[in-house]
Amino acid sequence: MRPAGRPVEEDDLHARIDGQLPRERIEDVEAYLAAHPEEQARFSQYAQQRLALRAAFSAQASEPIPNRLRVAHLLAQQRHQGRRHLAQIAAAACLIVVGASMITADAIAAYRTFSVEVRHPVEVDAGQEAHLVQWLSKRLGRQLVVPDLAATGFRLMGGRLLPAEDGPAAQFMYENGNGERLTLYLRTGVGGETAFRYHEEGGIGAFYWSDEGFGYAIAAKADRDLLLRVAELVYRQTSPDGARAKIPPALEKPS
């Protein structure tokens, strides 16, 4: 009889979904799931949700970049005018806009997918906040902070790990007394200016910004002013300067 290994933990179950479970842990995890059918059902649903989300992200990534945003197009325009230094600026700005577009699209897709969930809107609920923060911080490689949005009437429901184009992402979900939900989407490896950019798609609004290589997006079926208030609150709570942090300007995303 094979001796039992260490206890199966939440990280092992998520690693199984992500295809990152070490070979020596597979037997223990499979035995645990066989003995706990409720956990098997829960993580089977998470796996299906992630596959659906990956499919949505892949479809967005395959869409062509509009000609007006292509670096080559901008460079050609500027060369025609004989202003090469401005072409370099335009190319850099283009990359920032395209990156912001992808992150806001991912944040809105994730909000649309999980905000309607009744039984499993989050993978780890707010009752396990310490574990949630530790787990997601480990997966994203950076210490995360869960913002307190009580001042805007929203309380934390929990969070989940999400797939992204070049690595993992995280989503924290909040809910107010009316049952309305709002999400904070986070990703690493993001550059560009620290400015709030607003985008709306299918009735879902989102404010995006980047700070110190990290991208943030607030998404909800809510009016722009409320989303901006939440974005400012999150920015202050995640900034090293805290309440003294200078709030970035709010810009409209180019259509």
Side-chain angles (χ1 to χ4, degrees):
M1 181 176 178
R2 182 179 181 272
R6 63 175 175 80
V8 173
E9 300 176 343
E10 193 90 356
D11 281 352
D12 295 315
L13 300 175
H14 287 289
R16 177 178 178 269
I17 293 178
D18 295 336
Q20 297 180 354
L21 185 65
R23 184 172 300 176
E24 64 272 15
R25 293 292 289 155
I26 293 177
E27 189 172 338
D28 287 335
V29 171
E30 294 299 335
Y32 173 86
L33 290 173
H36 298 82
E38 72 285 354
E39 287 291 89
Q40 175 73 67
R42 181 165 71 99
F43 275 84
S44 292
Q45 183 175 31
Y46 289 160
Q48 292 170 3
Q49 290 173 339
R50 289 194 189 178
L51 285 173
L53 200 59
R54 284 190 179 100
F57 289 166
S58 296
Q60 291 167 358
S62 65
E63 293 177 358
I65 299 172
N67 188 57
R68 61 185 173 75
L69 291 181
R70 291 183 181 275
V71 174
H73 177 72
L74 292 171
L75 288 170
Q77 281 188 322
Q78 297 302 332
R79 278 198 298 267
H80 181 71
Q81 297 171 10
R83 299 166 69 179
R84 297 180 64 89
H85 64 292
L86 290 182
Q88 295 172 351
I89 295 173
C94 168
L95 294 175
I96 292 170
V97 169
V98 171
S101 298
M102 289 302 299
I103 292 178
T104 52
D106 288 356
I108 288 175
Y111 173 87
R112 183 177 289 114
T113 299
F114 298 113
S115 65
V116 297
E117 283 286 331
V118 177
R119 294 187 61 188
H120 300 296
V122 297
E123 286 181 282
V124 180
D125 63 31
Q128 305 177 72
E129 183 175 335
H131 166 65
L132 174 65
V133 174
Q134 181 182 26
W135 169 51
L136 292 179
S137 297
K138 179 180 178 182
R139 295 305 300 271
L140 270 68
R142 176 167 172 168
Q143 183 59 43
L144 303 183
V145 174
V146 180
D148 180 355
L149 304 184
T152 60
F154 286 89
R155 63 175 181 81
L156 179 70
M157 296 180 68
R160 64 169 64 244
L161 185 70
L162 296 173
E165 183 181 1
D166 53 358
Q171 182 192 63
F172 294 118
M173 186 176 291
Y174 298 80
E175 187 175 56
N176 65 14
N178 297 323
E180 298 165 334
R181 293 175 176 178
L182 175 147
T183 59
L184 169 61
Y185 178 90
L186 309 98
R187 260 182 60 183
T188 58
V190 178
E193 63 177 331
T194 301
F196 293 141
R197 294 185 178 274
Y198 181 72
H199 176 60
E200 185 174 334
E201 181 181 307
I204 301 171
F207 264 108
Y208 158 82
W209 70 98
S210 63
D211 190 28
E212 298 185 352
F214 216 63
Y216 303 80
I218 298 291
K221 287 184 177 179
D223 64 63
R224 184 184 186 281
D225 291 342
L226 173 60
L227 290 174
L228 181 57
R229 283 176 56 209
V230 172
E232 291 175 347
L233 192 61
V234 171
Y235 183 81
R236 285 196 176 97
Q237 293 185 36
T238 56
S239 170
D241 295 328
R244 296 176 301 172
K246 183 179 179 181
I247 299 299
L251 308 173
E252 295 294 330
K253 177 188 162 187
S255 57

